[in-house]
Amino acid sequence: MTREDDILGKMLFLWQRRRAWLKLAAVAFVPLFAYILLLPPTYIVSATVFPKDGPKAGPSSALLGAVGLSSVQNVIVHRMALLLESEELAERTVAANELLPAFFPGKWDAENRKWKNPKSAPTAREGAGKLLKMFEIVADTRGLLSVSAMGKDAEFVARVLSAHLQSLQD
């Protein structure tokens, strides 16, 4: 038996069982397709930051930047990225903008404007963890910082991103 006969034999085997393969595909893809249709939309809000103020770069720094090596601007951008990813800044953002009720709606009594169980009220650190999970921060070699936030409510995501960038300036 040659190799071509073996391949043709396998193709014949698959063709004869095509109904079983179609049923298997339907069983696998119909629930997946339904899940995709019923999934609530996720919104992404992005901001690009180019720091204009900082230490003045000399000619050697410009030369290094031109050949793709680290420049003063890139160092500033990477420091900003580290600050935006820090828990301390996230805690300040959560506290200053009162984001805990929005991050933990099941524990918050909106009608009375207080926690349902004050002993198990979430901390600013827990809120900071939720805040940081929303973000994706990318510093590129051109000196740009891209910050994206993701969530189910576009207006809330935009407000959180704006507040977090404002906390960086303060």
Side-chain angles (χ1 to χ4, degrees):
M1 182 180 266
T2 65
R3 188 173 181 170
E4 290 176 3
D5 292 337
D6 190 37
I7 291 173
L8 288 174
K10 289 180 182 179
M11 288 177 60
L12 181 62
F13 172 80
L14 291 174
W15 181 253
Q16 289 172 343
R17 288 162 180 77
R18 66 185 178 271
R19 286 193 179 122
W21 286 108
L22 289 173
K23 288 177 186 176
L24 180 66
V27 167
F29 288 115
V30 168
L32 179 65
F33 189 68
Y35 174 74
I36 289 171
L37 288 178
L38 297 175
L39 190 67
T42 300
Y43 298 97
I44 299 174
V45 178
S46 298
T48 303
V49 180
F50 181 77
K52 65 177 184 172
D53 295 332
K56 299 297 180 207
S60 62
S61 178
L63 182 61
L64 288 172
V67 294
L69 299 175
S70 181
S71 67
V72 173
Q73 187 73 20
N74 288 343
V75 171
I76 293 169
V77 167
H78 285 286
R79 284 184 182 168
M80 286 178 64
L82 288 174
L83 284 172
L84 283 170
E85 292 171 341
S86 73
E87 276 193 14
E88 183 180 339
L89 183 68
E91 285 179 29
R92 280 196 335 211
T93 302
V94 168
N97 296 284
E98 300 176 356
L99 296 173
L100 283 177
F103 285 138
F104 301 98
K107 296 181 177 184
W108 178 253
D109 184 3
E111 189 176 305
N112 296 325
R113 299 193 44 80
K114 64 179 186 176
W115 296 106
K116 292 177 180 175
N117 186 355
K119 291 182 180 180
S120 67
T123 63
R125 179 161 291 228
E126 292 170 326
K130 288 226 179 200
L131 179 101
L132 290 174
K133 285 181 184 176
M134 291 176 66
F135 288 110
E136 180 181 340
I137 300 166
V138 178
D140 70 7
T141 57
R142 298 172 297 170
L144 293 175
L145 182 67
S146 298
V147 185
S148 300
M150 205 175 353
K152 305 284 184 217
D153 181 6
E155 194 173 303
F156 175 71
V157 173
R159 185 170 64 96
V160 168
L161 177 61
S162 177
H164 199 51
L165 290 174
Q166 185 62 41
S167 293
L168 180 65
Q169 286 183 327
D170 296 342

